[in-house]
Amino acid sequence: MSTATLSLEDLMARTAPGPAGCALWTGSVNAQGAPALHIGGKRKQARRLAYELSNEPVDPKKKVVHQVTSTPADTIRLCINPDHTQVVDGTQQLKTHCPQGHPYAGRNLISRPGGGRACRSCRDQGDKDRWAEQKAQQEPRAQRRKPSPQSRERVAALYAAHRGRIARLLVGEVRNADRHLAEDLTQETFIAAWLDLDQMRATSEPQAAAWLTTIARRTAVHHYRAKRNTCEYPADTGDWQMANRDLVPSGGYYTPSRCGFRTATVGAAL
């Protein structure tokens, strides 16, 4: 087929009715998704051909684009109705919609002082996403992650199978083999495992045991790290401890014993 034998009716035969009187192209499209067809071994723009067949030839330096409307971007991209198109300079990039498909029209159009345009919907959505991200970062860890209902049965099975081994492990990890503290840390271990159960990749019992062992040791480390700079106040001030380390009296002050990691003092007035 050549341009001389092509008619507007031939082009419209390849379209389907669309909203607002648009004629939606049903043939092939180019890399940008715009209507195109091959004539004489060359690819031509269907919208430009429809406009030239309906009106007059267009200067090659100019472009034929769809008019600015509130029609969705996907519809505008495929419309070749000559009544919906207009000719603009080749150097002028007339965009009717933002990259997300929102029209540059009405209240959604933001005109910038420098002559640019912005999409109000995209700007508002970006603000909402940033606020949601900041809020999620401020929420506690347990509130951000909600275990699935199926995880209750899985963690119950893990608890029944590995509780004794994890408890014995933590008795060896805590100081002075404190069984009461080890029991508390065992409960915290399985709570942390419940919250992270959806991320577990273990496919066998040994792998599950290794995963729980890692969580248990990490829980013990976090416990002592949190108590590193805390003071306990028993009834007998001669038995004060700082960070679970014995303190020895020295000139009216209590200082950590030589097994401590840092030097600190507690006033005698306390």
Side-chain angles (χ1 to χ4, degrees):
M1 181 183 297
S2 63
T3 307
T5 59
L6 183 67
S7 63
L8 182 61
E9 289 73 14
D10 296 333
L11 288 179
M12 292 302 165
R14 303 185 184 183
T15 62
C22 289
L24 305 183
W25 181 253
T26 58
S28 60
V29 296
N30 58 16
Q32 290 74 32
L37 71 163
H38 291 274
I39 297 179
K42 296 182 180 181
R43 176 172 291 184
K44 302 290 185 178
Q45 297 181 5
R47 180 180 297 160
R48 187 184 189 95
L49 288 176
Y51 183 87
E52 291 180 345
L53 292 173
S54 177
N55 297 280
E56 58 184 4
V58 179
D59 188 345
K61 296 182 180 180
K62 296 185 178 181
K63 296 181 179 181
V64 179
V65 298
H66 199 280
Q67 298 175 1
V68 179
T69 63
S70 58
T71 308
D74 294 339
T75 301
I76 289 179
R77 188 179 296 112
L78 297 177
C79 178
I80 66 169
N81 189 342
D83 297 333
H84 294 180
T85 56
Q86 60 182 346
V87 180
V88 298
D89 293 336
T91 58
Q92 179 183 358
Q93 185 64 28
L94 182 61
K95 294 182 179 180
T96 60
H97 289 68
C98 73
Q100 302 301 324
H102 304 131
Y104 285 132
R107 186 181 180 278
N108 192 58
L109 174 62
I110 300 177
S111 299
R112 296 175 176 172
R117 297 182 297 172
C119 175
R120 189 180 303 275
S121 299
C122 291
R123 187 197 65 177
D124 295 345
Q125 185 62 40
D127 293 341
K128 293 180 181 178
D129 293 342
R130 283 189 292 272
W131 278 109
E133 182 178 358
Q134 294 177 4
K135 184 178 180 181
Q137 293 176 355
Q138 296 173 359
E139 290 180 354
R141 180 185 179 191
Q143 293 182 2
R144 292 201 304 267
R145 294 178 300 172
K146 296 181 179 179
S148 60
Q150 295 80 7
S151 63
R152 180 175 300 178
E153 299 179 358
R154 295 179 60 190
V155 78
L158 290 174
Y159 184 83
H162 301 280
R163 177 194 172 279
R165 193 184 64 83
I166 295 299
R168 291 190 297 271
L169 171 69
L170 288 171
V171 168
E173 292 287 337
V174 300
R175 298 169 185 170
N176 301 325
D178 189 343
R179 294 185 177 274
H180 298 289
L181 177 58
E183 183 64 27
D184 292 340
L185 295 181
T186 300
Q187 302 301 321
E188 294 183 11
T189 297
F190 282 97
I191 291 175
W194 181 36
L195 295 175
D196 289 336
L197 198 59
D198 293 338
Q199 302 178 9
M200 185 180 70
R201 298 294 181 266
T203 57
S204 62
E205 286 298 321
Q207 292 179 351
W211 180 65
L212 289 172
T213 299
T214 302
I215 297 177
R217 288 175 174 166
R218 187 185 305 153
T219 301
V221 170
H222 287 176
H223 169 75
Y224 286 109
R225 184 175 297 169
K227 293 180 67 64
R228 178 175 297 175
N229 296 320
T230 60
C231 294
E232 298 178 357
Y233 300 91
D236 185 1
T237 57
D239 294 332
W240 278 16
Q241 293 182 350
M242 176 176 289
N244 291 345
R245 299 191 295 275
D246 293 335
L247 300 178
V248 295
S250 175
Y253 290 86
Y254 286 88
T255 60
S257 59
R258 285 181 293 179
C259 65
F261 296 99
R262 65 179 66 183
T263 301
T265 59
V266 179
L270 298 177

